Amino acid sequence: MKRRLGGDIFQKREWVCNQCTLYVIKGSIDDRTFVSSLRLWLHLYKNCSGGGLNSSRLMTISRARDVGLPLMNIVRLKAMSILQQLHLEERLLRTSSDNWCIINDGTNASTIVMGVSGKPSELIELETVVRDRIPVIRRFTGGGTVIVDGGTVFVTFICNKDAIPGLQPYPRPIMSWTGQLYGEVLQRIGDFRLRENDYVFGNCKFGGNAQSITKYRWIHHTSFLWDYDVRNMAYLKQPIRVPEYRLATDKAGIGGGICISA
């Protein structure tokens, strides 16, 4: 099934998980098509004025190919479990040669996600987590620990190293590129900035990141706060190392995940 919206093609098809139907959009990485598509799908942007797609700014797939621009597959998910999402991301990172942006609006159950080198005894309240049977996952990328639920919006980029012209495939340049991208998407909401690997409004962190870089490809994934249950914070310990800008704020989240200042 296909339908057209502002020059992009939305193709409905099954992928990986029999329970999920994914929508794939192809748009140019280097064109405002991609930013406009992200605005359309990113839940955080839904209440902003001037959002959505502007057909006068869009570049179709065939035109992007004609000028030699790389393409980005955009996949929108609704409440896919974070474990299934991580399986999907790792599979696309290691077995696909295409560029991907995955947007998942919430996960189906409260889950703690740790970085590949995280130590449970240092990062989570083990007794409380075991008592309440909160699932704990160790992802394949670095970063800190976060508890996610239906109020979390996940955005992941999986790209070839040469996909974005001029971008060096190292952690800091990738962070800088994503910061510029989200800056354009979120500019109407507030004082958006990239601070020490965190996405913040002012001093309030609302998104954290983790990355992995392989020989030919890289992945950068983010958990954005849309809503949260403050009771979930009781499952997490304060990280040993905290960025300087957050030292003066109250406890709200952990490391590479979502954090709020009271």
Side-chain angles (χ1 to χ4, degrees):
M1 182 179 81
K2 293 184 180 181
R3 62 189 179 92
R4 287 188 176 272
L5 179 61
D8 280 337
I9 297 176
F10 292 57
Q11 182 175 357
K12 183 177 180 181
R13 63 191 177 104
E14 299 296 323
W15 180 270
V16 179
C17 176
N18 292 332
Q19 299 174 348
C20 301
T21 300
L22 311 187
Y23 294 83
V24 177
I25 311 169
K26 288 204 172 184
S28 164
I29 294 175
D30 238 20
D31 191 76
R32 295 186 65 88
T33 300
F34 180 61
V35 173
S36 297
S37 298
L38 192 60
R39 281 178 175 165
L40 176 67
W41 292 119
L42 187 59
H43 203 50
L44 286 168
Y45 193 73
K46 69 177 186 179
N47 291 324
C48 295
S49 60
L53 291 173
N54 183 336
S55 59
S56 66
R57 293 203 307 249
L58 295 177
M59 179 180 286
T60 62
I61 300 172
S62 59
R63 184 180 164 205
R65 285 177 175 154
D66 289 343
V67 297
L69 292 175
L71 297 177
M72 176 77 79
N73 297 283
I74 302 182
V75 180
R76 183 177 185 264
L77 303 168
K78 176 69 175 179
M80 186 184 213
S81 80
I82 187 59
L83 180 59
Q84 287 179 307
Q85 180 181 340
L86 288 168
H87 285 164
L88 172 62
E89 290 176 2
E90 187 169 13
R91 179 174 177 176
L92 292 176
L93 175 68
R94 303 191 189 285
T95 66
S96 171
S97 59
D98 292 329
N99 304 301
W100 299 88
C101 174
I102 301 171
I103 303 172
N104 184 17
D105 186 1
T107 189
N108 59 357
S110 295
T111 304
I112 293 173
V113 184
M114 302 175 55
V116 66
S117 60
K119 298 179 180 179
S121 60
E122 296 178 359
L123 298 169
I124 62 178
E125 299 288 355
L126 293 173
E127 184 176 342
T128 308
V129 168
V130 171
R131 182 196 68 198
D132 294 345
R133 298 185 176 182
I134 303 297
V136 179
I137 297 171
R138 188 188 301 275
R139 63 179 177 265
F140 62 96
T141 58
T145 301
V146 62
I147 184 164
V148 298
D149 57 20
T152 309
V153 178
F154 306 92
V155 183
T156 298
F157 295 100
I158 305 171
C159 295
N160 294 318
K161 285 187 173 181
D162 60 353
I164 300 163
L167 178 63
Q168 294 296 312
Y170 301 106
R172 193 157 296 280
I174 293 171
M175 281 296 312
S176 178
W177 177 77
T178 60
Q180 292 172 21
L181 176 69
Y182 289 127
E184 184 168 354
V185 174
L186 301 170
Q187 61 186 337
R188 294 180 178 88
I189 294 180
D191 181 21
F192 171 82
R193 283 180 288 171
L194 171 64
R195 299 193 65 175
E196 300 187 45
N197 300 330
D198 296 338
Y199 299 133
V200 303
F201 288 122
N203 286 329
C204 180
K205 177 182 176 182
F206 72 101
N209 314 277
Q211 301 181 6
S212 181
I213 301 173
T214 66
K215 186 175 181 181
Y216 299 110
R217 289 164 66 75
W218 54 264
I219 180 171
H220 174 95
H221 43 198
T222 301
S223 52
F224 284 108
L225 179 69
W226 177 251
D227 198 0
Y228 79 107
D229 185 342
V230 69
R231 293 172 296 182
N232 284 342
M233 299 302 103
Y235 297 120
L236 306 178
K237 292 182 177 180
Q238 280 281 27
I240 296 174
R241 291 184 297 176
V242 179
E244 278 190 30
Y245 81 91
R246 281 167 48 199
L247 291 177
T249 63
D250 296 331
K251 174 185 175 182
I254 297 292
I258 294 168
C259 177
I260 307 179
S261 294

